[in-house]
Amino acid sequence: MPDMKTIKDLEAEVETYCRDMGWYEQEVPFAVAMALLHEEAAEAGRAWRDHGLADATYADHPEINPGGVACDVIVKPEGVGSEFADIFIRMLDDSTRYQLDLAGYLEPDPEIFVLDDEFLVNINTLHGLIAGVTTAVETCYESPAAAFAAILSFAAILSFLRQMCVRYGIDLMAEYERKMAYNRTREHRHGGRRF
């Protein structure tokens, strides 16, 4: 992650965007937020099945600079990198929305997991980490230790995602910037979605 923006900066940026787009107009139960995170992980798996690790946006729109936002036309980014950015954006929003303090617990060294050679197995592991957070949060009110474990579990999702980005040569910050540039062009609540 570059030094120019901290996790706290990114959380504030995403919160402002989400508020402007109407995503704070109703309460989102935590389990629903985790279901939406699962959906983003599934979309990353689908993108890999459809395009491998290629930037599918670039293939269809040569005016786009892959991994950047310097272009005359902003279109929806497509591919694994874009889907990883969606996971990251949701995590930044969830961290703020549910006061999970992602920045305070993010592992500085992303090489803490052993990745599988198969991409979809790693996506499955990502789903497992998300499910683990849901379970941890359901028990987090039982003790301070349980609450701490829930926050660490949440931060582990991003550590795993960062490690996948390193493994697959994806610049998560560039993909984040590109996806946020596109998202700012979208309609209120992305055309009326519930969550």
Side-chain angles (χ1 to χ4, degrees), residues 159-170:
S159 291
F160 188 77
L161 180 68
R162 289 168 59 202
Q163 192 169 334
M164 286 180 71
C165 287
V166 169
R167 166 63 99 48
Y168 299 119
I170 293 169

Side-chain angles (χ1 to χ4, degrees), residues 117-140:
D117 290 337
E118 292 292 334
F119 184 87
L120 291 178
V121 171
N122 293 324
I123 292 295
N124 186 50
T125 300
L126 191 58
H127 281 294
L129 290 168
I130 296 166
V133 171
T134 306
T135 303
V137 166
E138 289 171 356
T139 62
C140 76

Side-chain angles (χ1 to χ4, degrees), residues 46-107:
R46 169 62 77 158
W48 179 83
R49 289 180 66 208
D50 289 347
H51 310 289
L53 294 172
D55 181 354
T57 309
Y58 184 68
D60 293 337
H61 299 278
E63 71 276 10
I64 299 280
N65 176 15
V69 295
C71 60
D72 295 331
V73 178
I74 296 177
V75 296
K76 183 178 182 181
E78 299 286 349
V80 170
S82 175
E83 299 306 337
F84 281 2
D86 282 342
I87 294 168
F88 186 41
I89 291 165
R90 280 211 177 270
M91 290 196 70
L92 292 166
D93 177 44
D94 292 343
S95 179
T96 302
R97 190 181 295 260
Y98 304 106
Q99 301 175 356
L100 295 172
D101 189 23
L102 184 59
Y105 296 96
L106 185 61
E107 179 65 41

